[in-house]
Amino acid sequence: MTNLLVNTRDQQFILFEQLGIEELFKSEKYADFSKEIVLMMRNEAEKLAVNVLLPAYADGDKEGCTFKDGKVYVPASFHHIFKRYVEGGWLCSNESPDVGGQGLPLVVRAACMESMFAANSPFLLYAGGMHGAARLIEEYGTDEQKNKYMYNMYAGKWGGTMCLTEPGAGTDVGALKTSAKRLPDGRFSVTGTKIFITSGDHDLCPNIIHPVLARIEGDPPGTAGISIFLVPKYRVKEDGTLGKFNDIRTGNVEHKMGIKGSATCTLNFGDEGDCIGELLGKERQGMRIMFQMMNSSRLEVGMQGLGHATAAYEHAVQYAKERIQSVPVWEIKNPGAKAVPIIQHPDIRRKLLWMKAHVEGIRALLYFTWFCIDMTAISRSENEREKWHGLVDLLTPVCKAYSSEKAQLVCSYAIDVYGGYGYCSDYPVEQYFRDCKIASIYEGTNGIQALDLVGRKLGQRKGADVMNIFSEINSSIVKLKRIEELKRHVAYLEEAYNALIDLTVHFAQLGKSAGFLMPVLNATPYLEIFGDVIIGHFLMQAACIADEKLNTIYKEKGVEESKGKKRALIREDPEVAFYQGKNAAAKFFAVDILSHVKSRCEAIKFGERVPIEMADESFTY
Ligand SMILES: Cc1cc2nc3c(=O)[nH]c(=O)nc-3n(C[C@H](O)[C@H](O)[C@H](O)COP(=O)(O)OP(=O)(O)OC[C@H]3O[C@@H](n4cnc5c(N)ncnc54)[C@H](O)[C@@H]3O)c2cc1C
């Protein structure tokens, strides 16, 4: 199936040729899976994305959500696609069959979800909230809570959210004011206002279960005193049917720049003093519990970025091949020259290759991280499990922030490729750009992700996790250096890698001294550099595999000795075009991005303090 959302060949390449996910199928947990099954599932996902989700994408944007008489209504077309999504078993496809799932490895789910994110990310936020909240109950809930809430949520009957943010408590969740008062029967009366709650209210389901962060009266201030409660929109009776309205009133639905089909709500809990919540897990464990949901949501946000970026790139390539404009630069003095498709112009080619390299690199990074979670689940020893788990922890802020940040640039370049048409709503790229922006804000802004990486993740397990990823890159470099074709480009990867290590060590030393503000100040550029080096590594690794495959094909066709014949093969054999594209993306990334890493690291090490020292008054006059 061809589509303008995702490069399915590249998906397969990363899954099977680069990551070798068949390793998973050797385990008991994933023994029922095979390459054929994975490809079949991925195709089904693509069909749903293209035929069902995509047609509702522009609708959702135009119609948006409606707030009427205190109730929220989703775009009309979302009802039909929600039904199809649930019927297809996608809501909890990775969960165990015991709770209604299909037990899909997460990396396979990611490949399936990529086309869906590319097709309609605002819609997926309803499903994501449901799944995430149910997962939390599965992990921390009592049997009673599971029976009461979880199964209905996994079945797509009831919605779910995550309620952290308040007017005075955004990044600083510990400042929250929502309170929980103990009731004689062990439950709690919840009072407070949460804002910006995704899927906070909607008409897709008759009930919504809100995991809500609140402080039990008398508990200490800050994050240490926060607990988490399950607060249903309608209370649930003993027999499982819906009971009384639980005093959660929707105050507002936000009017936003993008993701207009996703309802972002202000929720007032207990205005009438009649909102009842049940403790989830133990008291004062709220942040720890919510972090489980947030971590997987952060990876999903990375997927959202990838979804927009891949769709924007695929559309831009198609447009560039069709739009005829201007004569080629080498014919500029020829009055008889004909205008050509804009893909012939070097500046457009450069943009497209920048987009391709980032999309494919981010895809590899995200799939790898999901694969690490799967490996955690099948690890045979505690050491091995810790290694995979540590990689996931370390890479989560990079997946979230790097992917969302670069995805915006990819979408922006896509608009540039379309020219003025890209800025108009006749084409989808402007919607991708608007919808993509939120990914750098929610689930912890990208600035906070960078602080998480530098302040916590680099040093976790005494630096063992970051050393693991570094040694992975180092092994690649050793292997890559043997390939003549890539030698000059690998030198840039090696230089960037050494500069990153040097900067990381520098940060570690500063962290122990009064100079700790420098890593804090430079956390965002550090994360970008870290991401660039990892992406560069994945792209180079891919180029190495591509090189081997190309050599085999050239040998089979007997064209090893002729450059011209090798080029000619591109038109005959799409595999040759694909592998040469992998090669080109890696080389371009090395020269265009990695070659600057050393100087960027040096600039950070220079230790300029002016952003900190400059007076507030000097920022504006
Ligand atoms: C469409 C949408 C959907 C959302 N969905 C949900 C949801 O479902 N559930 C939910 O609970 N929340 C949700 N949010 C809230 C979102 O997570 C917050 O907006 C985000 O965490 C930032 O909080 P804030 O808006 O209060 O910004 P602030 O905390 O006021 O931050 C403003 C700026 O200051 C920076 N900043 C703040 N503190 C620091 C610091 N210590 N160091 C460095 N920089 C700092 C931030 O990075 C940011 O750039 C959603 C928001 C939107 C817009």
Side-chain angles (χ1 to χ4, degrees):
M1 180 177 197
T2 51
N3 70 70
L4 277 189
L5 299 178
V6 175
N7 184 324
T8 53
R9 178 65 186 92
D10 193 52
Q11 289 190 307
Q12 286 182 41
F13 174 84
I14 294 173
L15 292 176
F16 299 108
E17 292 164 76
Q18 188 163 13
L19 297 181
I21 68 157
E22 288 103 323
E23 178 72 22
L24 294 171
F25 314 148
K26 292 180 195 154
S27 70
E28 203 185 322
K29 185 171 165 79
Y30 298 122
D32 290 343
F33 289 90
S34 63
K35 185 172 176 183
E36 289 66 39
I37 291 179
V38 170
L39 291 179
M40 199 230 349
M41 305 248 6
R42 209 213 52 79
N43 284 347
E44 285 306 308
E46 193 179 329
K47 273 192 222 156
L48 188 79
V50 174
N51 300 331
V52 182
L53 268 54
L54 184 61
Y57 184 53
D59 270 12
D61 188 55
K62 286 194 190 89
E63 192 181 330
C65 295
T66 315
F67 183 47
K68 204 169 158 218
D69 302 329
K71 291 194 170 137
V72 180
Y73 300 88
V74 302
S77 53
F78 279 22
H79 285 274
H80 162 68
I81 61 177
F82 178 66
K83 195 165 169 281
R84 294 286 301 274
Y85 184 84
V86 173
E87 280 169 2
W90 294 107
L91 194 61
C92 56
S93 54
N94 61 302
E95 302 303 338
S96 150
D98 300 342
V99 294
Q102 304 175 57
L104 233 61
L106 281 161
V107 64
V108 176
R109 183 170 197 266
C112 295
M113 294 306 294
E114 185 187 339
S115 48
M116 299 204 217
F117 273 112
N120 198 334
S121 75
F123 160 73
L124 284 185
L125 294 175
Y126 294 100
M130 241 173 217
H131 176 222
R135 185 81 192 74
L136 212 57
I137 300 172
E138 183 178 359
E139 183 93 12
Y140 297 99
T142 59
D143 285 346
E144 193 192 333
Q145 287 170 336
K146 286 179 200 167
N147 287 330
K148 195 169 5 168
Y149 303 121
M150 183 191 77
Y151 290 102
N152 275 334
M153 295 166 84
Y154 273 149
K157 291 184 183 156
W158 293 352
T161 63
M162 57 195 288
C163 299
L164 295 84
T165 307
E166 298 182 7
T171 301
D172 184 8
V173 182
L176 64 73
K177 292 211 161 59
T178 299
S179 72
K181 189 174 173 183
R182 214 179 292 274
L183 297 172
D185 63 3
R187 294 180 303 165
F188 290 81
S189 167
V190 178
T191 317
T193 295
K194 296 285 178 185
I195 60 166
F196 294 152
I197 303 307
T198 300
S199 320
D201 190 34
H202 55 80
D203 59 340
L204 287 173
C205 312
N207 203 8
I208 301 172
I209 315 304
H210 304 282
V212 179
L213 290 185
R215 198 180 315 279
I216 299 174
E217 281 185 348
D219 273 351
T223 48
I226 294 176
S227 301
I228 185 166
F229 300 88
L230 295 176
V231 189
K233 177 175 168 182
Y234 288 96
R235 291 180 202 162
V236 180
K237 293 189 209 158
E238 294 268 303
D239 63 0
T241 56
L242 294 190
K244 198 179 160 199
F245 177 63
N246 198 23
D247 191 14
I248 305 169
R249 278 158 230 277
T250 307
N252 186 24
V253 174
E254 302 297 339
H255 298 279
K256 310 186 292 289
M257 169 185 180
I259 57 164
K260 292 175 192 254
S262 162
T264 309
C265 308
T266 297
L267 296 180
N268 297 312
F269 293 85
D271 271 1
E272 309 288 325
D274 196 21
C275 176
I276 307 286
E278 296 167 27
L279 187 70
L280 179 66
K282 296 199 174 110
E283 292 179 18
R284 295 176 294 284
Q285 295 281 305
M287 283 308 287
R288 202 175 66 78
I289 294 173
M290 191 60 109
F291 253 107
Q292 187 219 280
M293 186 170 176
M294 274 156 67
N295 278 334
S296 89
S297 301
R298 284 173 180 175
L299 292 180
E300 301 263 343
V301 172
M303 292 296 299
Q304 181 187 345
L306 172 62
H308 293 308
T310 174
Y313 169 65
E314 296 294 331
H315 276 82
V317 174
Q318 156 110 347
Y319 186 80
K321 285 181 177 173
E322 287 170 356
R323 168 75 173 162
I324 310 286
Q325 197 66 195
S326 308
V327 298
V329 68
W330 51 90
E331 297 248 40
I332 207 104
K333 289 193 175 146
N334 172 6
K338 286 210 167 74
V340 290
I342 59 170
I343 197 167
Q344 297 299 330
H345 302 308
D347 185 59
I348 294 288
R349 298 179 80 78
R350 193 178 185 290
K351 281 197 176 75
L352 291 174
L353 192 47
W354 191 97
M355 294 157 83
K356 174 181 163 69
H358 280 86
V359 168
E360 293 179 4
I362 290 168
R363 181 177 289 131
L365 167 67
L366 286 166
Y367 285 18
F368 173 73
T369 309
W370 292 110
F371 178 63
C372 289
I373 307 181
D374 292 327
M375 290 304 287
T376 309
I378 62 162
S379 292
R380 287 192 202 91
S381 70
E382 192 50 30
N383 268 353
E384 205 187 317
R385 205 191 74 79
E386 267 190 20
K387 184 193 116 184
W388 292 112
H389 183 71
L391 285 174
V392 176
D393 254 9
L394 175 73
L395 293 177
T396 296
V398 187
C399 288
K400 193 275 182 185
Y402 188 91
S403 307
S404 57
E405 213 66 49
K406 298 296 174 189
Q408 275 168 66
L409 289 174
V410 171
C411 294
S412 173
Y413 273 166
I415 295 176
D416 292 337
V417 169
Y418 275 75
Y421 295 104
Y423 196 70
C424 302
S425 50
D426 303 345
Y427 291 95
V429 284
E430 64 84 29
Q431 192 186 342
Y432 295 142
F433 183 69
R434 286 186 291 107
D435 285 355
C436 189
K437 178 59 205 169
I438 188 60
S440 65
I441 297 169
Y442 56 17
E443 295 306 336
T445 62
N446 284 358
I448 297 305
Q449 302 303 318
L451 288 172
D452 181 38
L453 174 68
V454 167
R456 286 189 340 153
K457 301 296 172 68
L458 290 182
Q460 74 188 7
R461 296 206 306 126
K462 298 199 172 113
D465 300 320
V466 75
M467 289 320 292
N468 274 339
I469 198 83
F470 284 164
S471 74
E472 182 96 2
I473 298 172
N474 189 45
S475 323
S476 277
I477 292 172
V478 172
K479 194 171 173 203
L480 285 159
K481 271 170 145 177
R482 292 188 212 122
I483 300 172
E484 197 54 43
E485 163 86 9
L486 298 173
K487 235 178 190 165
R488 283 173 50 230
H489 299 87
V490 174
Y492 280 127
L493 175 61
E494 189 170 27
E495 181 189 78
Y497 162 74
N498 286 329
L500 173 63
I501 293 189
D502 186 46
L503 181 61
T504 308
V505 172
H506 180 66
F507 272 13
Q509 283 158 354
L510 287 175
K512 291 182 202 140
S513 70
F516 76 94
L517 267 183
M518 292 316 288
V520 171
L521 175 63
N522 290 294
T524 293
Y526 179 89
L527 185 143
E528 189 186 21
I529 290 170
F530 195 92
D532 283 342
V533 173
I534 293 178
I535 296 291
H537 150 254
F538 279 123
L539 290 175
M540 278 290 170
Q541 192 183 55
C544 171
I545 299 164
D547 197 66
E548 282 166 19
K549 303 269 172 156
L550 279 171
N551 285 336
T552 312
I553 299 175
Y554 294 150
K555 224 177 202 170
E556 278 168 12
K557 309 261 177 185
V559 299
E560 302 112 290
E561 303 305 329
S562 158
K563 257 191 174 176
K565 282 185 184 164
K566 282 181 191 170
R567 273 197 77 80
L569 261 191
I570 296 179
R571 277 181 292 276
E572 280 172 33
D573 187 345
E575 285 293 278
V576 173
F578 172 73
Y579 288 127
Q580 288 199 2
K582 295 300 290 179
N583 228 302
K587 286 179 173 170
F588 177 77
F589 195 87
V591 175
D592 197 63
I593 310 287
L594 296 178
S595 67
H596 300 290
V597 165
K598 189 174 174 201
S599 59
R600 285 153 65 199
C601 291
E602 292 299 327
I604 293 174
K605 281 178 71 188
F606 179 81
E608 181 56 68
R609 296 175 60 89
V610 75
I612 297 172
E613 289 170 352
M614 186 173 123
D616 291 1
E617 292 79 357
S618 300
F619 277 96
T620 185
Y621 310 97

